[in-house]
């Protein structure tokens, strides 16, 4: 679906502005008609487009003022300014479309915490950070999943003002204003290096098109930074995907969206599809965990256990969690489900109910303090599955069916874990008994670690940067072929 030139389509916000004027019978009727024209939740491809920015603030302003009154003047009469670490940024929604909430699915105010799951406060970086992608899942009051796809970009920030502690030219000490005030002036010609603060572009949808929205956000950002390619305002693109592009109808029809050189397609399965539809690659789960680990975690979920996924890469958590839930078909997970848990929700890990939760490694120290002893911890980075000290013992599965299932998966995707680490040949020799257990473990640690580490750090890469010429992953990519896709179709079936 292309973009039309001329006057943009009237936005929902402009229709909803009637509510700000005095209420009259005519205006109430217009408002009712405007609401009736809104597409339903099943017709909308995108619910909201949100921009979450970093706004400056002082940490613990109230507590700091209280401490100042209680403190006594230290020895000496010159005091340095406060530490700039007390000055930070907080995530705030600075732009959104549409401007008013849909009556059947209002915007969740917790979205800012999921855009910045690592902390409620943001500390600027002195070095430039590459843009990254991550996904999350919210659940509304009706049990409906809301999928979020976030593009985090880092922008330059130049401190301004005398009271800004990041401004190296002037610092004013205000802790003891009645005693002394010290101003430190640097050379006026001194150049202040810029800081980098994150800004998040987020698409919220009830449809799990995580990879499609990932591609759209990446191309939209490329377009916004390439002035020579912009033919219409950037807001026109946002309005187009939020208001004009419908959700694909079930069946053989698909919606195609063109942006720059990307052809992004959205397709919905038939209403009575015999298998679950997942619009993310199954390969991610089998690249992170070997076949034995995948089956253990899957069986733990079937037994309604507490499972915690841990990874250094944000996007891996949601993709692996969604894949695990799809493997439960025809059963459905009806317990607590937060594939990307913000830091402030860490106490939920001690909940007395089964859950499937994901935690980034930055928050692991805090999560571990609240972790229930019944939890099964799955490290997606190192292929480790650790049962808690009080984790219930899993019921032994039927031996014949378990063996048959493992053999079927081994034939289809058993080599994925080893191939992504460049150990496909070693895996073959191990199956034939030519390599012993302790030898294959040593080979995995010595040879496979470097390839996997480089591949792992690329999952969150927003723009799919190419490998360096000396990267061992180049050989792995060249060995891949189109036949791998059919194997994932076999797994799904």
């Amino acid at each position: 679906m292309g973009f039309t030139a001329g006057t943009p389509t009237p936005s929902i916000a402009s229709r909803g502005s009637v509510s700000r004027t005095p209420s009259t019978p005519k205006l109430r009727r217009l408002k009712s008609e405007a609401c009736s024209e809104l597409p339903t939740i099943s017709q909308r491809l995108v619910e909201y487009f949100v921009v979450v920015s970093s706004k400056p603030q002082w940490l613990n302003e109230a507590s700091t003022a209280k401490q100042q009154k209680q403190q006594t003047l230290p020895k000496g009469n010159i005091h340095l300014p406060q530490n700039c670490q007390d000055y930070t940024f907080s995530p705030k929604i600075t732009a959104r479309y549409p401007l008013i909430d849909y009556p059947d699915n209002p915007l969740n105010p917790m979205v800012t915490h999921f855009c910045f799951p690592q902390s409620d406060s943001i500390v600027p970086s002195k070095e430039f950070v590459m843009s990254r992608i991550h996904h999350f899942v919210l659940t509304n009051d009706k049990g409906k999943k809301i999928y979020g796809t976030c593009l985090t970009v880092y922008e330059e920030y130049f401190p301004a003002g005398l009271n800004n502690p990041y401004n190296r030219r002037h610092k004013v000490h205000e802790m003891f204003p009645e005693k002394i005030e010290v101003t430190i002036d640097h050379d006026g010609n001194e150049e202040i290096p810029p800081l980098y603060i994150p800004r998040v572009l987020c698409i919220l949808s009830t449809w799990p098109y995580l990879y499609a929205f990932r591609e759209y956000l990446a191309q939209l950002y490329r377009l916004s930074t390439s002035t020579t390619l912009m033919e219409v305002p950037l807001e026109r693109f946002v309005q187009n995907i939020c208001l004009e592009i419908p959700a694909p109808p079930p069946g053989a029809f698909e919606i195609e969206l063109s942006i720059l050189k990307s052809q992004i397609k959205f397709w919905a399965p038939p209403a009575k599809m015999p298998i679950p539809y997942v619009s993310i690659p199954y390969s991610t789960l089998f690249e992170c965990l070997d076949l034995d680990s995948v089956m253990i975690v899957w069986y733990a979920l079937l037994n309604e256990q507490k499972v915690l996924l841990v990874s250094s890469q944000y996007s891996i958590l949601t993709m692996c969690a969604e894949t695990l839930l799809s493997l439960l078909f025809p059963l459905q997970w009806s317990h607590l489900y937060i594939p990307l848990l913000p830091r402030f929700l860490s106490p939920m890990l001690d909940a007395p109910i089964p859950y499937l939760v994901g935690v980034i490694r930055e928050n692991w120290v805090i999560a571990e303090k609240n972790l229930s002893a019944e939890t099964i911890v799955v490290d997606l980075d190192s292929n480790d599955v650790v049962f808690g000290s009080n984790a219930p013992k899993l019921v032994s599965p039927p031996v014949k069916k378990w063996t048959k299932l493992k053999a079927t998966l081994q034939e289809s995707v058993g080599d994925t874990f080893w191939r992504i680490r460049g150990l496909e040949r070693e895996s073959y020799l191990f199956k034939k008994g030519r390599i012993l257990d302790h030898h294959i473990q040593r080979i995995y640690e010595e040879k496979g670690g470097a390839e996997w580490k480089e591949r792992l750090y690329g999952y969150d890469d927003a723009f799919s940067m190419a490998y360096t010429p000396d990267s061992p992953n180049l050989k792995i990519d060249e060995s891949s072929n189109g036949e791998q896709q059919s194997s994932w179709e076999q797994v799904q079936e």
Side-chain angles (χ1 to χ4, degrees):
M1 180 175 293
F3 301 100
T4 57
T7 305
T9 304
S11 66
I12 297 177
S14 63
R15 301 177 198 162
S17 60
V18 176
S19 61
R20 298 192 184 98
T21 61
S23 178
T24 63
K26 182 178 180 181
L27 292 180
R28 283 197 299 267
R29 184 172 65 255
L30 290 175
K31 181 180 178 181
S32 176
E33 292 175 356
C35 291
S36 64
E37 295 175 3
L38 295 176
T40 62
I41 191 172
S42 61
Q43 296 173 331
R44 298 189 295 264
L45 177 65
V46 173
E47 297 294 301
Y48 300 97
F49 188 98
V50 180
V51 179
V52 181
S53 305
S54 305
K55 290 296 182 180
Q57 70 170 8
W58 284 96
L59 284 177
N60 303 324
E61 294 181 357
S63 60
T64 302
K66 184 177 180 180
Q67 293 175 2
Q68 290 177 1
K69 296 181 180 180
Q70 298 175 350
Q71 289 176 345
T72 58
L73 184 65
K75 296 181 179 180
N77 61 348
I78 297 181
H79 314 289
L80 295 178
Q82 288 179 313
N83 194 321
C84 64
Q85 292 297 328
D86 294 335
Y87 188 79
T88 185
F89 296 79
S90 61
K92 301 290 183 183
I93 296 179
T94 55
R96 53 169 286 185
Y97 187 87
L99 296 178
I100 62 173
D101 290 351
Y102 290 112
D104 56 348
N105 190 19
L107 178 63
N108 194 320
M110 306 294 290
V111 67
T112 56
H113 297 282
F114 286 85
C115 290
F116 292 94
Q118 68 276 18
S119 177
D120 293 333
S121 60
I122 304 167
V123 179
S125 173
K126 296 182 180 180
E127 298 179 356
F128 179 75
V129 182
M130 296 296 296
S131 302
R132 67 167 184 258
I133 286 281
H134 76 271
H135 314 283
F136 62 85
V137 179
L138 298 171
T139 305
N140 60 17
D141 55 352
K142 300 179 181 179
K144 183 71 173 179
K145 288 183 181 180
I146 308 297
Y147 296 89
T149 302
C150 298
L151 170 64
T152 303
V153 297
Y154 284 79
E155 302 174 341
E156 288 186 346
Y157 171 73
F158 293 93
L162 295 178
N163 292 331
N164 192 323
Y166 287 107
N167 192 328
R168 303 306 185 196
R169 294 180 181 176
H170 305 281
K171 288 185 178 181
V172 180
H173 179 62
E174 299 176 348
M175 182 172 291
F176 305 98
E178 71 281 1
K179 298 294 182 179
I180 189 170
E181 181 176 289
V182 179
T183 302
I184 303 175
D185 294 328
H186 289 262
D187 185 2
N189 297 325
E190 180 183 354
E191 182 180 355
I192 303 176
L195 301 172
Y196 297 93
I197 57 176
R199 185 190 300 268
V200 176
L201 310 180
C202 178
I203 287 181
L204 297 173
S205 175
T206 58
W207 299 87
Y209 299 121
L210 303 183
Y211 256 55
F213 290 137
R214 172 182 183 146
E215 178 68 15
Y216 180 83
L217 285 175
Q219 296 292 31
L220 183 66
Y221 184 74
R222 282 195 179 106
L223 189 63
S224 66
T225 54
S226 303
T227 56
T228 58
L229 300 177
M230 289 290 292
E231 298 179 355
V232 295
L234 185 64
E235 292 77 7
R236 187 67 184 88
F237 289 86
V238 176
Q239 185 186 47
N240 180 254
I241 194 172
C242 291
L243 190 62
E244 300 173 353
I245 300 180
F253 296 96
E254 66 180 17
I255 303 296
E256 182 173 319
L257 172 63
S258 300
I259 178 170
L260 290 183
K261 296 182 179 181
S262 294
Q263 302 294 326
I264 305 175
K265 298 180 180 181
F266 302 92
W267 176 81
K272 296 183 179 181
M273 192 173 183
I275 57 177
Y277 173 66
V278 180
S279 59
I280 57 178
Y282 269 56
S283 57
T284 303
L285 176 63
F286 290 88
E287 289 172 357
C288 296
L289 302 176
D290 61 17
L291 194 55
D292 291 331
S293 298
V294 171
M295 295 184 66
I296 291 175
V297 177
W298 170 76
Y299 191 62
L301 293 176
L302 283 178
N303 284 268
E304 298 180 303
Q305 300 297 316
K306 300 178 182 180
V307 177
L308 177 66
L309 306 179
V310 182
S311 177
S312 60
Q313 304 300 295
Y314 294 30
S315 60
I316 284 182
L317 294 170
T318 301
M319 289 191 291
C320 290
E322 283 291 306
T323 304
L324 285 169
L325 292 190
S326 70
L327 294 176
L328 299 178
F329 185 83
L331 303 179
Q332 292 184 353
W333 184 258
S334 57
H335 303 289
L336 181 63
Y337 177 61
I338 311 178
L340 182 60
L341 187 74
R343 174 177 291 191
F344 83 104
L345 292 179
S346 296
M348 297 184 68
L349 295 176
D350 197 24
I353 57 174
Y355 57 70
L356 176 57
V357 175
V359 171
I360 57 176
R361 196 166 301 280
E362 298 173 49
N363 295 343
W364 169 245
V365 175
I366 297 179
E368 190 177 15
K369 297 179 181 178
N370 299 278
L371 194 63
S372 169
E374 300 175 351
T375 305
I376 301 173
V377 180
V378 182
D379 194 326
L380 298 174
D381 296 350
S382 59
N383 183 38
D384 289 329
V385 180
V386 180
F387 283 73
S389 57
N390 293 335
K393 186 178 180 180
L394 299 180
V395 180
S396 300
V399 178
K400 291 185 178 180
K401 292 185 177 180
W402 184 266
T403 304
K404 181 179 179 181
L405 175 61
K406 184 176 180 179
T408 304
L409 290 175
Q410 181 66 48
E411 182 180 356
S412 301
V413 295
D415 294 333
T416 302
F417 177 83
W418 302 100
R419 178 175 53 81
I420 205 67
R421 291 161 175 77
L423 301 175
E424 191 171 12
R425 179 176 177 275
E426 287 77 0
S427 173
Y428 174 80
L429 296 176
F430 173 70
K431 294 175 187 177
K432 297 296 184 180
R434 300 179 184 179
I435 299 180
L436 301 179
D437 290 349
H438 62 280
H439 287 163
I440 191 66
Q441 182 64 27
R442 180 175 55 82
I443 294 174
Y444 166 73
E445 295 175 354
E446 295 178 355
K447 183 179 178 182
E451 287 86 340
W452 170 240
K453 184 177 181 180
E454 184 179 20
R455 174 74 65 145
L456 178 66
Y457 291 155
Y459 280 104
D460 285 356
D461 182 12
F463 301 109
S464 300
M465 303 296 288
Y467 294 113
T468 57
D470 58 345
S471 171
N473 279 294
L474 286 177
K475 182 176 64 174
I476 299 176
D477 288 342
E478 292 171 358
S479 62
S480 302
N481 51 56
E483 297 179 357
Q484 294 296 331
Q485 182 62 29
S486 61
S487 64
W488 300 119
E489 294 174 355
Q490 294 174 10
V491 172
Q492 191 176 22
E493 294 173 0

